[in-house]
Amino acid sequence: MRRTKPLRIALSALLVAGVSAGFVPASAGAATPADQKAPASGSMLAAMQRDLGLTKSQAEARLSAEKKATSVEGRARRAAGSSYGGAWFTPESGRLTVAVTDRNKAAAVRSTGAEAKLVKYSAPQLDAAKERIDALKAPKGVASWHVDPASNRIVIETLAGRQGDNDVRHFLAQAREAGPVTVERTAHAPRTLAAGTVGGDPYYTGNVRCSIGFSVNGGFVTAGHCSGAGAAVNGWDGSYIGNFQGSSFPDNDYAWVNVGSGWWTVPVVLGWGTVPDQLVRGSAEAPIGASICRSGSTSHWHCGNVLAKNETVNYSQGAVHEMTKTNVCAEPGDSGGSFISGDQAQGVTSGGWGDCSGGGETWYQPINEILNRYGLTLTTA
């Protein structure tokens, strides 16, 4: 939806990033506690009803359950100690489940309000196995891989029809030597979501249009594949904003841009008329299974669920690590835009497959990792 320039400039640091939020100030890499009451606007609930197939009361109940699960997860992890095997939220039950390798820790985990599941491998063991797989060179027939706490294994997705390829078979054989592996098939190869310059909302770098993520002190964060360090950035009206101060892609997919020349940062993400422009108040990490929303300059506002964390995505340009997978749709030009769960900032859009007509999956780079990497502070209301 086209807006007048004065409002656009006021929202320059979030133009293309988008999802509703709400928090207290968070410094670089610090997650904000999620035990504060999160406002849920009627339009945000409407978006969840549209994209998740919920009634209004179901959406309200889910947001409440997810907020509780987010606050419980830290306590449950500490209770599990070295036996912690990961955690996930189950929408049907509204409960958080924590995997443990030590049966004697189950009662302590349950005392925090979480369910407990006995598993063979701890989270550090699974992460170490995934790191060994990350060190392998993945062929194009392999789409991605991630640690799945529910199955207590590393799930590797291969492209349909490519499992019989010699290079894929060799990769899978090496992966099975690295740790516990499950192989699944996908019909879709991942791709980044940058776009050539077209009409719409900023920002632009060269002939590429991407989406602004979250405001930080002195600038904003976005996707690394949109451009490299030093590249100039122009806003929706073509005026100069700043330059890429740091950028990493592949291996990672994040970057940050300084803001000046009459532009400034605000703790807001653009609702595109689907929902009101939303305040950002923090960055507590949502669990697997939680609902999450995204907004960008092409497809605007859409919602879905967190499917996996710490996933390695094998783009044609190279592998990107430690990403979070969702079933929120996205399209070219949405790269760099904001992901938020409830009232918590989650990350910047990287890539995916599909579109917002037929659906698909999208990955984001977690926000706290970006803040830590560059020593940035999230701008909050």
Side-chain angles (χ1 to χ4, degrees):
M1 183 175 76
R2 173 56 58 191
R3 301 183 179 213
T4 60
K5 183 174 180 177
L7 178 58
R8 271 323 200 24
I9 293 177
L11 299 178
S12 62
L14 52 105
L15 298 179
V16 200
V19 183
S20 65
F23 283 137
V24 294
S27 59
T32 302
D35 32 319
Q36 301 173 5
K37 179 68 175 175
S41 68
S43 49
M44 180 180 180
L45 294 172
M48 293 180 67
Q49 293 173 64
R50 178 196 65 193
D51 293 336
L52 300 177
L54 305 175
T55 65
K56 180 181 179 181
S57 61
Q58 287 172 332
E60 291 173 331
R62 178 156 175 178
L63 284 173
S64 176
E66 289 173 353
K67 189 174 182 65
K68 180 179 178 181
T70 299
S71 66
V72 164
E73 186 173 8
R75 298 194 297 271
R77 182 169 188 157
R78 290 190 291 273
S82 60
S83 76
Y84 177 76
W88 61 96
F89 175 80
T90 304
E92 292 76 13
S93 66
R95 301 292 297 275
L96 182 78
T97 302
V98 173
V100 294
T101 59
D102 182 353
R103 188 184 301 273
N104 295 324
K105 295 289 186 179
V109 167
R110 293 189 186 99
S111 70
T112 68
E115 302 286 352
K117 178 182 178 180
L118 188 64
V119 296
K120 182 176 181 179
Y121 302 103
S122 68
Q125 288 175 312
L126 291 173
D127 288 342
K130 181 180 176 292
E131 287 180 6
R132 291 191 287 272
I133 298 173
D134 284 345
L136 304 175
K137 183 173 177 58
K140 293 189 182 300
V142 176
S144 66
W145 56 97
H146 67 271
V147 172
D148 177 31
S151 65
N152 201 225
R153 304 179 75 80
I154 293 94
V155 176
I156 299 177
E157 289 195 338
T158 61
L159 297 179
R162 301 292 294 275
Q163 281 186 306
D165 292 0
N166 287 337
D167 54 353
V168 173
R169 293 171 62 186
H170 180 64
F171 176 86
L172 294 177
Q174 291 181 302
R176 290 186 176 101
E177 292 179 0
V181 164
T182 294
V183 179
E184 297 181 355
R185 296 183 183 181
T186 178
H188 308 280
R191 59 186 174 90
T192 56
L193 296 169
T197 300
V198 295
D201 293 285
Y203 63 97
Y204 299 93
T205 176
N207 67 341
V208 171
R209 171 170 58 84
C210 280
S211 298
I212 293 172
F214 294 96
S215 293
V216 296
N217 286 3
F220 64 82
V221 294
T222 187
H225 70 262
C226 292
S227 200
V233 173
N234 294 317
W236 68 273
D237 60 352
S239 65
Y240 172 73
I241 295 178
N243 295 77
F244 277 77
Q245 300 298 302
S247 180
S248 179
F249 180 79
D251 187 28
N252 305 293
D253 193 4
Y254 49 61
W256 83 280
V257 175
N258 69 316
V259 168
S261 301
W263 294 73
W264 61 91
T265 62
V266 288
V268 179
V269 295
L270 194 61
W272 295 101
T274 301
V275 299
D277 297 341
Q278 302 288 323
L279 292 176
V280 177
R281 299 187 189 277
S283 56
E285 185 179 345
I288 293 171
S291 61
I292 194 165
C293 297
R294 179 202 59 74
S295 177
S297 61
T298 301
S299 61
H300 300 172
W301 182 280
H302 291 276
C303 300
N305 302 305
V306 176
L307 301 181
K309 296 183 181 182
N310 191 20
E311 178 148 275
T312 299
V313 180
N314 192 33
Y315 292 129
S316 61
Q317 301 94 328
V320 176
H321 305 96
E322 298 183 26
M323 296 240 272
T324 298
K325 179 164 68 176
T326 76
N327 60 3
V328 184
C329 69
E331 298 180 359
D334 287 329
S335 283
S338 313
F339 265 94
I340 292 180
S341 180
D343 64 356
Q344 304 292 301
Q346 298 299 306
V348 300
T349 304
S350 172
W353 60 264
D355 56 37
C356 291
S357 296
E361 293 178 339
T362 305
W363 290 270
Y364 65 81
Q365 192 90 66
I367 183 67
N368 289 326
E369 178 184 357
I370 308 171
L371 299 177
N372 277 326
R373 169 62 180 83
Y374 294 117
L376 301 170
T377 301
L378 187 67
T379 302
T380 56

